[in-house]
Short mmCIF file of all heavy atoms in Angstrom, two decimals:
data_model
loop_
_atom_site.label_atom_id
_atom_site.label_comp_id
_atom_site.label_asym_id
_atom_site.label_seq_id
_atom_site.Cartn_x
_atom_site.Cartn_y
_atom_site.Cartn_z
N PRO H 125 -39.79 -37.92 15.28
CA PRO H 125 -40.77 -38.33 16.49
C PRO H 125 -40.96 -37.23 17.39
O PRO H 125 -41.98 -36.89 17.79
CB PRO H 125 -40.17 -39.58 16.93
CG PRO H 125 -38.91 -39.75 16.31
CD PRO H 125 -38.68 -38.89 15.25
N HIS H 126 -39.75 -36.61 17.88
CA HIS H 126 -39.92 -35.53 18.97
C HIS H 126 -38.84 -34.50 18.68
O HIS H 126 -37.88 -34.64 18.15
CB HIS H 126 -39.47 -36.28 20.33
CG HIS H 126 -40.24 -37.51 20.62
ND1 HIS H 126 -41.46 -37.71 20.79
CD2 HIS H 126 -39.72 -38.80 20.54
CE1 HIS H 126 -41.85 -38.87 20.93
NE2 HIS H 126 -40.79 -39.61 20.80
N PHE H 127 -39.21 -33.33 19.22
CA PHE H 127 -38.35 -32.20 18.96
C PHE H 127 -38.09 -31.51 20.38
O PHE H 127 -39.04 -31.14 21.19
CB PHE H 127 -38.94 -31.24 18.03
CG PHE H 127 -38.01 -30.13 17.62
CD1 PHE H 127 -37.34 -30.08 16.45
CD2 PHE H 127 -37.90 -28.99 18.46
CE1 PHE H 127 -36.38 -29.10 16.16
CE2 PHE H 127 -37.01 -28.00 18.12
CZ PHE H 127 -36.25 -28.03 16.91
N TYR H 128 -36.76 -31.52 20.82
CA TYR H 128 -36.41 -30.92 22.09
C TYR H 128 -35.78 -29.59 21.85
O TYR H 128 -34.98 -29.44 20.88
CB TYR H 128 -35.46 -31.86 22.79
CG TYR H 128 -35.91 -33.18 23.30
CD1 TYR H 128 -35.72 -34.27 22.56
CD2 TYR H 128 -36.71 -33.21 24.48
CE1 TYR H 128 -36.19 -35.58 22.93
CE2 TYR H 128 -37.24 -34.46 24.86
CZ TYR H 128 -36.91 -35.58 24.17
OH TYR H 128 -37.32 -36.82 24.59
N GLU H 129 -35.99 -28.60 22.81
CA GLU H 129 -35.10 -27.40 22.74
C GLU H 129 -34.97 -26.91 24.17
O GLU H 129 -35.87 -27.21 25.09
CB GLU H 129 -35.81 -26.35 21.81
CG GLU H 129 -37.10 -25.95 22.19
CD GLU H 129 -37.62 -24.81 21.14
OE1 GLU H 129 -36.87 -24.48 20.34
OE2 GLU H 129 -38.82 -24.45 21.38
N THR H 130 -33.88 -26.23 24.40
CA THR H 130 -33.69 -25.53 25.71
C THR H 130 -33.73 -24.09 25.56
O THR H 130 -33.13 -23.53 24.68
CB THR H 130 -32.28 -26.05 26.31
OG1 THR H 130 -32.23 -27.44 26.25
CG2 THR H 130 -32.00 -25.49 27.70
N ILE H 131 -34.60 -23.38 26.36
CA ILE H 131 -34.88 -22.01 26.14
C ILE H 131 -34.53 -21.18 27.42
O ILE H 131 -34.85 -21.74 28.61
CB ILE H 131 -36.35 -21.74 25.79
CG1 ILE H 131 -36.54 -22.51 24.40
CG2 ILE H 131 -36.71 -20.36 25.62
CD1 ILE H 131 -38.05 -22.58 23.99
N SER H 132 -33.90 -20.11 27.21
CA SER H 132 -33.72 -19.19 28.41
C SER H 132 -34.80 -18.21 28.36
O SER H 132 -35.16 -17.49 27.37
CB SER H 132 -32.48 -18.33 28.20
OG SER H 132 -31.33 -19.32 28.25
N ILE H 133 -35.43 -18.00 29.51
CA ILE H 133 -36.51 -16.98 29.68
C ILE H 133 -35.99 -15.72 30.43
O ILE H 133 -35.34 -15.95 31.47
CB ILE H 133 -37.68 -17.53 30.40
CG1 ILE H 133 -38.23 -18.81 29.72
CG2 ILE H 133 -38.85 -16.53 30.55
CD1 ILE H 133 -39.29 -19.48 30.37
N PRO H 134 -36.19 -14.51 29.85
CA PRO H 134 -35.82 -13.30 30.59
C PRO H 134 -36.35 -13.29 31.99
O PRO H 134 -37.44 -13.74 32.24
CB PRO H 134 -36.25 -12.12 29.68
CG PRO H 134 -36.59 -12.78 28.50
CD PRO H 134 -36.88 -14.28 28.57
N ASP H 135 -35.46 -12.76 32.89
CA ASP H 135 -35.85 -12.66 34.37
C ASP H 135 -35.96 -14.01 35.11
O ASP H 135 -36.41 -14.04 36.26
CB ASP H 135 -37.16 -11.85 34.60
CG ASP H 135 -37.14 -10.45 33.87
OD1 ASP H 135 -35.90 -9.93 33.83
OD2 ASP H 135 -38.19 -9.91 33.44
N ARG H 136 -35.74 -15.03 34.46
CA ARG H 136 -35.79 -16.26 35.21
C ARG H 136 -34.42 -17.05 35.27
O ARG H 136 -33.70 -17.04 34.16
CB ARG H 136 -36.86 -17.35 34.63
CG ARG H 136 -38.18 -16.81 34.91
CD ARG H 136 -39.14 -17.88 34.62
NE ARG H 136 -39.05 -19.04 35.40
CZ ARG H 136 -40.08 -19.90 35.51
NH1 ARG H 136 -41.20 -19.67 34.92
NH2 ARG H 136 -39.89 -21.00 36.30
N ARG H 137 -34.04 -17.47 36.35
CA ARG H 137 -32.64 -17.99 36.54
C ARG H 137 -32.51 -19.25 35.68
O ARG H 137 -31.54 -19.42 35.09
CB ARG H 137 -32.38 -18.27 38.08
CG ARG H 137 -31.10 -17.77 38.42
CD ARG H 137 -31.05 -17.69 40.03
NE ARG H 137 -32.09 -18.64 40.61
CZ ARG H 137 -31.78 -19.58 41.39
NH1 ARG H 137 -30.58 -19.71 41.86
NH2 ARG H 137 -32.72 -20.33 41.96
N GLU H 138 -33.40 -20.21 35.90
CA GLU H 138 -33.26 -21.49 35.27
C GLU H 138 -33.67 -21.48 33.79
O GLU H 138 -34.70 -20.66 33.40
CB GLU H 138 -33.93 -22.56 36.04
CG GLU H 138 -35.42 -22.58 36.03
CD GLU H 138 -36.04 -21.66 37.17
OE1 GLU H 138 -35.39 -20.90 37.61
OE2 GLU H 138 -37.23 -21.96 37.52
N LYS H 139 -33.13 -22.39 33.07
CA LYS H 139 -33.64 -22.56 31.67
C LYS H 139 -34.79 -23.48 31.66
O LYS H 139 -35.14 -24.18 32.65
CB LYS H 139 -32.45 -23.12 30.89
CG LYS H 139 -31.36 -22.08 30.57
CD LYS H 139 -30.29 -22.62 29.79
CE LYS H 139 -29.22 -21.66 29.49
NZ LYS H 139 -28.09 -22.17 28.87
N VAL H 140 -35.44 -23.63 30.42
CA VAL H 140 -36.56 -24.47 30.39
C VAL H 140 -36.39 -25.46 29.19
O VAL H 140 -35.86 -25.18 28.20
CB VAL H 140 -37.92 -23.66 30.00
CG1 VAL H 140 -39.05 -24.70 29.93
CG2 VAL H 140 -38.03 -22.62 31.00
N ARG H 141 -36.73 -26.71 29.51
CA ARG H 141 -36.52 -27.86 28.55
C ARG H 141 -37.91 -28.00 27.90
O ARG H 141 -38.88 -28.29 28.65
CB ARG H 141 -36.00 -29.03 29.17
CG ARG H 141 -35.60 -30.18 28.18
CD ARG H 141 -34.27 -29.83 27.47
NE ARG H 141 -33.90 -31.00 26.64
CZ ARG H 141 -33.12 -30.98 25.66
NH1 ARG H 141 -32.60 -29.71 25.28
NH2 ARG H 141 -32.69 -32.08 25.00
N VAL H 142 -38.12 -27.90 26.58
CA VAL H 142 -39.35 -27.92 25.93
C VAL H 142 -39.36 -29.18 24.90
O VAL H 142 -38.41 -29.36 24.23
CB VAL H 142 -39.66 -26.63 25.21
CG1 VAL H 142 -40.99 -26.73 24.51
CG2 VAL H 142 -39.72 -25.49 26.20
N LEU H 143 -40.46 -29.91 25.02
CA LEU H 143 -40.65 -31.00 24.07
C LEU H 143 -41.88 -30.81 23.23
O LEU H 143 -42.96 -30.50 23.75
CB LEU H 143 -40.64 -32.33 24.85
CG LEU H 143 -41.08 -33.60 24.07
CD1 LEU H 143 -40.14 -33.98 23.01
CD2 LEU H 143 -41.33 -34.80 24.96
N TYR H 144 -41.74 -30.97 21.90
CA TYR H 144 -42.86 -30.96 21.01
C TYR H 144 -43.08 -32.43 20.48
O TYR H 144 -42.05 -33.09 20.08
CB TYR H 144 -42.64 -30.10 19.80
CG TYR H 144 -42.53 -28.65 20.03
CD1 TYR H 144 -41.31 -28.10 20.50
CD2 TYR H 144 -43.56 -27.82 19.88
CE1 TYR H 144 -41.20 -26.79 20.74
CE2 TYR H 144 -43.49 -26.47 20.22
CZ TYR H 144 -42.36 -25.99 20.51
OH TYR H 144 -42.20 -24.68 20.88
N SER H 145 -44.30 -32.83 20.50
CA SER H 145 -44.57 -34.21 19.94
C SER H 145 -46.05 -34.32 19.52
O SER H 145 -46.94 -33.79 20.02
CB SER H 145 -44.39 -35.27 21.10
OG SER H 145 -44.26 -36.49 20.59
N VAL H 146 -46.30 -35.13 18.44
CA VAL H 146 -47.58 -35.32 17.93
C VAL H 146 -48.19 -36.39 18.74
O VAL H 146 -47.71 -37.42 18.97
CB VAL H 146 -47.56 -35.79 16.39
CG1 VAL H 146 -49.09 -36.09 16.01
CG2 VAL H 146 -46.99 -34.71 15.53
N ILE H 147 -49.51 -36.13 19.25
CA ILE H 147 -50.03 -37.08 20.09
C ILE H 147 -51.35 -37.71 19.57
O ILE H 147 -52.17 -38.31 20.16
CB ILE H 147 -50.36 -36.51 21.60
CG1 ILE H 147 -51.28 -35.33 21.54
CG2 ILE H 147 -49.10 -36.42 22.29
CD1 ILE H 147 -51.87 -35.09 22.96
N GLY H 148 -51.61 -37.39 18.25
CA GLY H 148 -52.80 -38.03 17.57
C GLY H 148 -53.73 -37.07 17.10
O GLY H 148 -53.76 -35.90 17.65
N ARG H 149 -54.50 -37.36 16.12
CA ARG H 149 -55.53 -36.62 15.55
C ARG H 149 -55.12 -35.20 15.26
O ARG H 149 -55.66 -34.21 15.45
CB ARG H 149 -56.80 -36.46 16.42
CG ARG H 149 -57.68 -37.67 16.27
CD ARG H 149 -59.16 -37.35 16.69
NE ARG H 149 -59.39 -38.12 17.86
CZ ARG H 149 -60.32 -37.62 18.77
NH1 ARG H 149 -60.97 -36.45 18.67
NH2 ARG H 149 -60.63 -38.32 19.82
N GLY H 150 -53.83 -35.14 14.67
CA GLY H 150 -53.25 -33.82 14.29
C GLY H 150 -52.98 -32.96 15.39
O GLY H 150 -52.77 -31.68 15.23
N MET H 151 -53.01 -33.41 16.61
CA MET H 151 -52.74 -32.57 17.82
C MET H 151 -51.32 -32.59 18.16
O MET H 151 -50.65 -33.75 18.17
CB MET H 151 -53.55 -33.09 18.94
CG MET H 151 -54.89 -32.50 19.04
SD MET H 151 -54.93 -30.70 19.45
CE MET H 151 -56.33 -30.12 18.69
N VAL H 152 -50.73 -31.42 18.47
CA VAL H 152 -49.31 -31.40 18.87
C VAL H 152 -49.27 -31.05 20.37
O VAL H 152 -49.93 -30.04 20.73
CB VAL H 152 -48.47 -30.41 18.12
CG1 VAL H 152 -46.94 -30.21 18.65
CG2 VAL H 152 -48.46 -30.84 16.70
N LEU H 153 -48.45 -31.79 21.16
CA LEU H 153 -48.40 -31.48 22.61
C LEU H 153 -47.03 -30.76 22.85
O LEU H 153 -45.99 -31.35 22.40
CB LEU H 153 -48.43 -32.76 23.43
CG LEU H 153 -48.26 -32.58 24.95
CD1 LEU H 153 -49.46 -31.88 25.59
CD2 LEU H 153 -48.13 -33.99 25.59
N GLN H 154 -47.10 -29.64 23.46
CA GLN H 154 -45.80 -28.84 23.85
C GLN H 154 -45.76 -29.02 25.42
O GLN H 154 -46.77 -28.48 26.04
CB GLN H 154 -45.91 -27.43 23.46
CG GLN H 154 -44.74 -26.66 23.62
CD GLN H 154 -44.90 -25.19 23.58
OE1 GLN H 154 -46.04 -24.69 23.76
NE2 GLN H 154 -43.78 -24.41 23.26
N ILE H 155 -44.68 -29.69 25.80
CA ILE H 155 -44.56 -29.73 27.37
C ILE H 155 -43.20 -28.93 27.71
O ILE H 155 -42.24 -29.01 27.06
CB ILE H 155 -44.30 -31.19 27.82
CG1 ILE H 155 -45.32 -32.06 27.18
CG2 ILE H 155 -44.39 -31.24 29.39
CD1 ILE H 155 -45.15 -33.55 27.57
N GLY H 156 -43.36 -28.25 28.71
CA GLY H 156 -42.15 -27.42 29.30
C GLY H 156 -41.81 -27.83 30.61
O GLY H 156 -42.78 -27.89 31.50
N GLN H 157 -40.50 -27.89 31.00
CA GLN H 157 -40.17 -28.25 32.35
C GLN H 157 -38.98 -27.30 32.81
O GLN H 157 -38.00 -27.36 31.96
CB GLN H 157 -39.83 -29.75 32.54
CG GLN H 157 -39.61 -30.14 34.00
CD GLN H 157 -39.58 -31.78 34.11
OE1 GLN H 157 -40.45 -32.30 33.59
NE2 GLN H 157 -38.69 -32.04 34.78
N ALA H 158 -39.07 -26.70 33.87
CA ALA H 158 -38.00 -25.75 34.34
C ALA H 158 -36.78 -26.68 34.76
O ALA H 158 -36.97 -27.59 35.47
CB ALA H 158 -38.50 -25.03 35.42
N MET H 159 -35.63 -26.28 34.33
CA MET H 159 -34.50 -27.08 34.69
C MET H 159 -33.93 -26.51 36.00
O MET H 159 -32.81 -25.98 36.00
CB MET H 159 -33.42 -27.04 33.52
CG MET H 159 -34.02 -27.65 32.23
SD MET H 159 -32.94 -27.37 30.86
CE MET H 159 -31.76 -28.61 31.00
N GLU H 160 -34.61 -26.73 36.99
CA GLU H 160 -34.23 -26.17 38.35
C GLU H 160 -33.06 -26.69 38.87
O GLU H 160 -32.05 -26.05 39.41
CB GLU H 160 -35.43 -26.35 39.33
CG GLU H 160 -35.69 -25.15 40.18
CD GLU H 160 -36.85 -25.30 41.03
OE1 GLU H 160 -37.48 -26.30 41.03
OE2 GLU H 160 -37.19 -24.29 41.66
N LEU H 161 -32.96 -28.15 38.86
CA LEU H 161 -31.93 -28.80 39.39
C LEU H 161 -30.56 -28.42 38.72
O LEU H 161 -29.49 -28.24 39.40
CB LEU H 161 -31.99 -30.34 39.19
CG LEU H 161 -32.55 -31.12 40.45
CD1 LEU H 161 -32.71 -32.54 40.07
CD2 LEU H 161 -31.57 -30.91 41.64
N GLN H 162 -30.62 -28.35 37.40
CA GLN H 162 -29.44 -27.97 36.60
C GLN H 162 -28.87 -26.57 37.07
O GLN H 162 -27.75 -26.35 37.28
CB GLN H 162 -29.67 -27.88 35.16
CG GLN H 162 -29.55 -29.14 34.38
CD GLN H 162 -30.94 -29.93 34.26
OE1 GLN H 162 -31.77 -29.72 35.04
NE2 GLN H 162 -31.06 -30.55 33.13
N SER H 163 -29.93 -25.57 37.28
CA SER H 163 -29.43 -24.29 37.48
C SER H 163 -28.82 -24.31 38.98
O SER H 163 -27.89 -23.68 39.25
CB SER H 163 -30.51 -23.28 37.36
OG SER H 163 -31.39 -23.31 38.36
N GLN H 164 -29.44 -25.07 39.84
CA GLN H 164 -28.88 -25.17 41.23
C GLN H 164 -27.46 -25.82 41.18
O GLN H 164 -26.50 -25.31 41.75
CB GLN H 164 -29.71 -25.99 42.11
CG GLN H 164 -30.89 -25.17 42.73
CD GLN H 164 -31.92 -26.18 43.31
OE1 GLN H 164 -31.62 -27.43 43.49
NE2 GLN H 164 -32.97 -25.66 43.71
N PHE H 165 -27.37 -26.77 40.36
CA PHE H 165 -26.09 -27.47 40.24
C PHE H 165 -25.00 -26.53 39.54
O PHE H 165 -23.91 -26.47 40.09
CB PHE H 165 -26.19 -28.70 39.33
CG PHE H 165 -24.83 -29.24 38.87
CD1 PHE H 165 -24.12 -30.02 39.66
CD2 PHE H 165 -24.34 -28.91 37.57
CE1 PHE H 165 -22.81 -30.49 39.30
CE2 PHE H 165 -23.11 -29.57 37.17
CZ PHE H 165 -22.40 -30.33 38.06
N ILE H 166 -25.45 -25.74 38.62
CA ILE H 166 -24.50 -24.82 37.94
C ILE H 166 -24.01 -23.74 38.98
O ILE H 166 -22.79 -23.46 38.99
CB ILE H 166 -25.02 -24.29 36.73
CG1 ILE H 166 -25.19 -25.30 35.62
CG2 ILE H 166 -24.20 -23.09 36.25
CD1 ILE H 166 -26.08 -24.93 34.51
N GLU H 167 -24.99 -23.21 39.80
CA GLU H 167 -24.61 -22.30 40.73
C GLU H 167 -23.59 -22.77 41.74
O GLU H 167 -22.57 -22.17 41.94
CB GLU H 167 -25.80 -21.80 41.54
CG GLU H 167 -26.69 -20.75 40.75
CD GLU H 167 -25.92 -19.63 40.43
OE1 GLU H 167 -25.17 -18.99 41.21
OE2 GLU H 167 -25.99 -19.19 39.19
N ALA H 168 -23.90 -23.98 42.26
CA ALA H 168 -23.07 -24.65 43.25
C ALA H 168 -21.62 -25.01 42.64
O ALA H 168 -20.58 -24.73 43.19
CB ALA H 168 -23.59 -25.94 43.80
N PHE H 169 -21.65 -25.33 41.37
CA PHE H 169 -20.47 -25.85 40.73
C PHE H 169 -19.65 -24.58 40.51
O PHE H 169 -18.37 -24.71 40.75
CB PHE H 169 -20.86 -26.44 39.35
CG PHE H 169 -19.75 -26.86 38.54
CD1 PHE H 169 -19.26 -28.22 38.76
CD2 PHE H 169 -19.00 -26.12 37.66
CE1 PHE H 169 -18.15 -28.75 38.05
CE2 PHE H 169 -17.90 -26.58 36.97
CZ PHE H 169 -17.42 -27.87 37.19
N LYS H 170 -20.15 -23.41 40.14
CA LYS H 170 -19.39 -22.13 39.90
C LYS H 170 -18.69 -21.82 41.20
O LYS H 170 -17.54 -21.55 41.14
CB LYS H 170 -20.32 -21.06 39.48
CG LYS H 170 -20.45 -20.91 38.05
CD LYS H 170 -21.27 -19.70 37.71
CE LYS H 170 -21.93 -19.74 36.36
NZ LYS H 170 -23.00 -18.90 36.26
N ARG H 171 -19.41 -21.89 42.36
CA ARG H 171 -18.90 -21.50 43.61
C ARG H 171 -17.67 -22.53 43.91
O ARG H 171 -16.61 -22.01 44.21
CB ARG H 171 -19.91 -21.74 44.71
CG ARG H 171 -20.50 -20.28 45.07
CD ARG H 171 -21.15 -20.36 46.52
NE ARG H 171 -22.00 -21.53 46.70
CZ ARG H 171 -23.24 -21.76 46.25
NH1 ARG H 171 -23.78 -20.79 45.63
NH2 ARG H 171 -23.87 -22.82 46.59
N ILE H 172 -17.86 -23.74 43.78
CA ILE H 172 -16.89 -24.78 44.16
C ILE H 172 -15.71 -24.60 43.20
O ILE H 172 -14.52 -24.62 43.62
CB ILE H 172 -17.45 -26.21 44.04
CG1 ILE H 172 -18.51 -26.49 45.16
CG2 ILE H 172 -16.40 -27.25 44.18
CD1 ILE H 172 -19.35 -27.70 44.98
N PHE H 173 -16.04 -24.31 41.88
CA PHE H 173 -14.95 -24.17 40.99
C PHE H 173 -13.98 -23.03 41.31
O PHE H 173 -12.87 -23.19 41.42
CB PHE H 173 -15.52 -23.94 39.56
CG PHE H 173 -14.52 -23.81 38.51
CD1 PHE H 173 -13.90 -24.87 37.97
CD2 PHE H 173 -14.29 -22.50 38.05
CE1 PHE H 173 -12.94 -24.72 36.97
CE2 PHE H 173 -13.30 -22.38 36.99
CZ PHE H 173 -12.58 -23.46 36.45
N ILE H 174 -14.49 -21.92 41.68
CA ILE H 174 -13.68 -20.75 41.97
C ILE H 174 -12.90 -20.96 43.18
O ILE H 174 -11.65 -20.76 43.09
CB ILE H 174 -14.66 -19.40 42.17
CG1 ILE H 174 -15.21 -19.10 40.76
CG2 ILE H 174 -13.81 -18.30 42.71
CD1 ILE H 174 -16.24 -18.08 40.71
N ILE H 175 -13.58 -21.38 44.31
CA ILE H 175 -12.91 -21.82 45.43
C ILE H 175 -11.74 -22.84 45.27
O ILE H 175 -10.49 -22.62 45.62
CB ILE H 175 -13.82 -22.24 46.63
CG1 ILE H 175 -14.81 -21.14 46.98
CG2 ILE H 175 -12.99 -22.57 47.89
CD1 ILE H 175 -15.90 -21.47 47.80
N THR H 176 -12.15 -24.02 44.70
CA THR H 176 -11.13 -25.03 44.55
C THR H 176 -9.94 -24.59 43.65
O THR H 176 -8.84 -24.89 43.86
CB THR H 176 -11.96 -26.26 43.89
OG1 THR H 176 -13.05 -26.39 44.45
CG2 THR H 176 -10.96 -27.50 44.09
N MET H 177 -10.28 -23.84 42.53
CA MET H 177 -9.28 -23.36 41.56
C MET H 177 -8.33 -22.52 42.25
O MET H 177 -7.21 -22.66 42.04
CB MET H 177 -9.85 -22.74 40.34
CG MET H 177 -10.34 -23.65 39.33
SD MET H 177 -9.26 -25.16 38.94
CE MET H 177 -7.83 -24.45 38.37
#
Side-chain angles (χ1 to χ4, degrees):
H126 313 288
F127 188 96
Y128 292 99
E129 62 181 358
T130 305
I131 296 169
S132 302
I133 302 176
D135 302 333
R136 285 191 67 160
R137 226 165 21 126
E138 71 268 24
K139 289 183 177 168
V140 184
R141 187 75 172 157
V142 178
L143 167 65
Y144 292 84
S145 192
V146 178
I147 57 163
R149 275 202 251 153
M151 276 290 153
V152 174
L153 179 65
Q154 182 195 27
I155 313 175
Q157 188 166 314
M159 297 169 84
E160 218 175 7
L161 258 179
Q162 274 98 325
S163 76
Q164 277 168 8
F165 168 76
I166 290 165
E167 280 306 309
F169 186 85
K170 271 187 200 156
R171 261 200 315 278
I172 292 170
F173 178 76
I174 290 167
I175 296 168
T176 319
M177 276 323 293

